[in-house]
Structure formats: C-alpha cells, structure tokens
Amino acid sequence: MRDFHYKRAKSMEDATRSISGDPTAKMLAGGTTLIDLMKLYVERPDFIVDINPLGKISSDLVAIAPLAHGGLRIGSLVRNSDLAWNDLVKRDYPVLSEALLAGASGQIRNMATVGGNLLQRTRCEYFRDTSMGCNKREPGSGCSALDGFNRMHAILGTSEKCIAANPSDMSVALVALDAQVRVRSSAGAERTIPLVDFHLLPGEHPERESVLHHDELITAVDLPAIPFARRSHYIKVRDRSSYAFALASAAVALDLRDGMIHDARVAMGGVGTKPWRSHVAEKALIGLRASDDAWRAAAEAALHGAKPHRYNKFKIELAKRTLVKTLSEVAAM
Ligand code: SF4
C-alpha cells in the first residue's frame, strides 16, 4: 500500500476545500470502490478526506425525507441497505429498493453510500489490471477490451476508446425515476444535475466519467413524485443469483389506464456505458395497449443501434428479453 495523508472532514466546507487544492485527493465514504481500487494500485490518492463524520454534523446527509411538494430527498451518505429497506422507498419506488437489493452483497450494501454508488467505477477487468492498456485508467494507453474478453462490456454508448459498462444497479433505477443530483462546491455554490446528464459517455475521453467537478460534494439525490412509480420493478440477469454484476437489467414503471399505456419509464443496466435511460422505448410504448407486441416493440427500440463486440453479441437478445419480461411483470401487478 502506498502512503497517503488522511483527514476526517469537520464540515462540508472543510471537505470540499481540503480536496480542491490536490488533484489526486479523494473523498472517502463507504470505501467499497475506493479502497478496493487502492489495493490494486488503480487509484493512487496522496490525500484522503473521510466524509463519514459529516453525517453526525449535518443530519440531512444521512436522512431520507419527503419533499414539501411530493417526492423524496435522499442524503448522499445514506447507506444502500437503509435506502433499500426504507418504507417510503419500498411503497413509492419499489424499483429502487429492488435494484439496491440486487446489487453487491449484504455486507457491501451496509457500507456503500448513495453518493459513492453514483460514482462507482467500472468492473472492466483491464481497467483493474495495471499491466494492461486502458484509456480510462491511463489516457492514450489503448483499450485492451476491444480485442480482449469483452463478454461483460457495454453495447450501447460505446466509443473506439472505451466499451466499459457502468456497474451500478441503483443508478439504473434512479435514472428511470428522473432523479436529480444535488452537489455543493468548495465555494459553497450549489447546483442540481439531472441524473440522466450526470454520467458522461466515454467518447474521446473515457477518463472523464461524470460532470461532477473535483471540488464538489454530492449532498443528496431528489426523486420527484411519480404516482405510477408504485407500479415499478427491476429485473437483473447475471451469471449467479447473488454478488454478481448485471449482464442485462431493466428498470420499468408503467402508468396503465384501462389496459392502455398512458406513461412509461424505462432504463437498462449491464448494456450501457452509463445508466441507460431509454426514451425511445418509452415513446414506443405510450399510446399502445399493454400487450406482448408492445413489450417487444419497446425492446426493439431500446436496443436499436447496439454495437456488440466479439464476446457480447448475446447481450442484444438477452437485454430485449429482460425488458420484455420486466414490462410484462409490471403490467401484471
Ligand atoms: Fe479501459 Fe474502457 Fe477499455 Fe476497459 S473498456 S480497458 S475501462 S478503456
């Protein structure tokens, strides 16, 4: 392990100002990604600012609370387990609870935070192996996955520089629910970013993964009131039933009235370089009668333009079937 300086943050200002002067500095929350990657020498921070003490100073950071005009505010230090088992989340946004419980293991969910989950890094094996070329880890060093074993990699939103899949289940549900990410800078400025715009496509710069600035702290995630989100569901297909990343997943909410699809939310995981909201699938559904034909039309729209590589061609049909199954199960609720 390399040496690094460690500091426990005394306030949000202290955390953001401490980190702003050191480009290698990292904030530590649950540590379930950061410590893992430090052990592999993929992350090599000289300075770590532990933000866990902030939960005792600002209770909003660890709270799950209804918003005045409907919806929910989730503090960024809320642990994934606490969010998954929260009564309001289970009742009003079951897709979020299910996505969280589909992720990682019980022990990891007890540590991992909402803010950290949004920023968790890809599980691409070549990214985690410092002997291999990886444009995300070391810009300009090439992408070993393009001609490597790319079975787990993305088929939507890829570029010639990177095809890594985003690993988060939680973010797939949140992006389907129109979540907004609240952040605060070292100057005290606050801004709100729609989650759908928070993660970046790899393009020419896969090393840039989100629009978050280095000196910004995620403070909360807001969910708008979506009454029909009570009829929502998450299905994750993976190699084993626990503690595995998605080959394909779908987060769906449907507003059904007299058998007609009045509104829909569709997002997919395991297939995109970012949590993949599919507006085209939603458009394909709205106005149709709930039926197998509607589900298949949405699935065809969602995967239109997918670009597989040598070992992940199977993901196209798998993702379509995952979405069809999720839509049909939500309709049957
Ligand atoms: Fe690196 Fe992305 Fe290529 Fe994986 S897919 S080796 S993360 S550049």
Side-chain angles (χ1 to χ4, degrees):
M1 181 70 93
R2 294 172 72 245
D3 288 346
F4 57 87
H5 297 285
Y6 169 86
K7 167 180 179 165
R8 289 170 68 80
K10 296 185 179 68
S11 65
M12 282 196 252
E13 292 72 24
D14 182 37
T16 50
R17 285 190 185 149
S18 298
I19 208 164
S20 65
D22 182 345
T24 77
K26 293 279 180 186
M27 292 187 196
L28 174 71
T32 55
T33 291
L34 180 61
I35 304 300
D36 204 17
L37 291 177
M38 285 172 70
K39 290 178 181 172
L40 296 170
Y41 297 98
V42 173
E43 295 274 16
R44 286 178 285 182
D46 291 324
F47 183 29
I48 285 183
V49 179
D50 186 344
I51 57 174
N52 287 289
L54 301 183
K56 291 198 171 64
I57 299 162
S58 174
S59 58
D60 288 349
L61 290 172
V62 290
I64 303 168
L67 289 165
H69 302 292
L72 211 56
R73 175 161 297 168
I74 305 160
S76 61
L77 287 176
V78 169
R79 307 286 160 175
N80 284 187
S81 295
D82 293 333
L83 185 58
W85 295 110
N86 178 271
D87 287 340
L88 293 174
V89 173
K90 285 195 293 178
R91 185 191 69 186
D92 294 341
Y93 308 98
V95 65
L96 176 57
S97 176
E98 291 169 7
L100 285 157
L101 294 174
S105 65
Q107 291 92 336
I108 290 174
R109 291 194 293 270
N110 288 341
M111 286 300 295
T113 63
V114 170
N117 195 325
L118 290 178
L119 297 173
Q120 72 170 295
R121 309 203 65 190
T122 181
R123 303 299 295 197
C124 170
E125 297 85 348
Y126 304 104
F127 170 74
R128 296 167 64 84
D129 181 347
T130 55
S131 70
M132 305 298 292
C134 171
N135 290 323
K136 186 183 280 297
R137 175 171 32 77
E138 198 177 329
S141 64
C143 172
S144 301
L146 287 174
D147 295 319
F149 188 54
N150 40 45
R151 179 173 177 271
M152 294 298 293
H153 288 69
I155 54 175
L156 292 167
T158 58
S159 75
E160 292 300 310
K161 300 276 176 150
C162 180
I163 58 171
N166 183 287
S168 173
D169 294 295
M170 180 196 79
S171 297
V172 178
L174 287 178
V175 82
L177 294 169
D178 294 324
Q180 307 270 324
V181 184
R182 296 171 63 86
V183 306
R184 181 189 172 107
S185 76
S186 56
E190 295 186 352
R191 64 181 179 128
T192 301
I193 307 158
L195 181 59
V196 72
D197 300 324
F198 182 80
H199 297 96
L200 294 169
L201 294 174
E204 291 295 306
H205 293 284
E207 74 279 10
R208 287 168 38 197
E209 297 179 348
S210 78
V211 298
L212 192 71
H213 298 151
H214 180 64
D215 72 331
E216 284 179 322
L217 172 72
I218 299 173
T219 56
V221 172
D222 286 354
L223 291 180
I226 307 176
F228 67 88
R230 288 189 178 192
R231 182 181 224 149
S232 64
H233 188 31
Y234 187 76
I235 289 182
K236 176 177 180 178
V237 178
R238 46 191 157 169
D239 284 326
R240 59 183 180 218
S241 61
S242 177
Y243 203 22
F245 292 88
L247 292 166
S249 69
V252 166
L254 286 178
D255 182 359
L256 288 178
R257 301 183 195 179
D258 300 324
M260 301 298 292
I261 304 164
H262 191 75
D263 205 349
R265 297 287 186 279
V266 175
M268 304 204 70
V271 289
T273 52
K274 58 187 270 185
W276 201 260
R277 175 77 179 263
S278 185
H279 293 293
V280 288
E282 294 167 8
K283 274 194 192 139
L285 287 166
I286 293 169
L288 296 183
R289 179 163 293 283
S291 65
D292 290 344
D293 287 347
W295 315 146
R296 194 70 199 178
E300 293 296 334
L303 274 298
H304 181 74
K307 282 191 190 157
H309 284 75
R310 182 171 178 191
Y311 293 103
N312 65 2
K313 294 186 178 73
F314 72 97
K315 278 196 174 187
I316 295 181
E317 186 58 25
L318 182 68
K320 287 178 185 175
R321 292 185 190 197
T322 304
L323 181 53
V324 165
K325 183 173 171 57
T326 314
L327 285 162
S328 62
E329 288 192 11
V330 172
M333 280 177 177

